[in-house]
């Protein structure tokens, strides 16, 4: 492996993780809004988005950022707001 191969490898891991997360959310889409499982999934989405955003901002400050890092920041911010709205709205 060369140093230039690492972004491709990491992108594959991110893609796999996003597919798993998307399948969890897709399968939970018809659940009752006030169920414990739905609440756990939405709060987990908030935690995922906030920690991902923090890690990405730290990576942007410490490492040499490229254009892909801005995509991660936008996605984590969007999903963080989206899941926070879902998690904290009244049923």
């Amino acid at each position: 492996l060369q140093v230039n191969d690492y972004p491709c490898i990491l992108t594959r891991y991110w893609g796999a993780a996003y597919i798993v997360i998307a399948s969890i959310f897709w399968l939970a889409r018809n659940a009752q809004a006030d169920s414990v499982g739905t609440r756990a999934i939405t709060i987990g989405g908030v935690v995922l988005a906030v920690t991902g955003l923090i890690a990405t901002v730290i990576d942007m400050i410490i490492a040499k950022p490229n254009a892909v890092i801005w995509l991660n920041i936008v996605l984590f911010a969007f999903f963080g707001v989206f899941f926070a709205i879902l998690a904290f709205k009244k049923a």
Side-chain angles (χ1 to χ4, degrees), residues 23-83:
S23 66
I24 290 169
F25 294 145
W26 182 260
L27 293 172
R29 75 188 184 282
N30 294 327
Q32 293 178 355
D34 59 346
S35 71
V36 175
T38 303
R39 182 133 177 91
I41 290 171
T42 55
I43 290 176
V46 172
V47 171
L48 171 73
V50 169
T51 55
L53 183 63
I54 291 169
T56 304
V57 169
I58 290 171
D59 190 31
M60 186 180 75
I61 293 169
I62 293 174
K64 294 187 293 187
N66 57 19
V68 175
I69 203 162
W70 289 107
L71 177 65
N72 284 333
I73 289 173
V74 169
L75 286 174
F76 280 130
F78 172 75
F79 285 121
V81 170
F82 175 72
F83 285 120

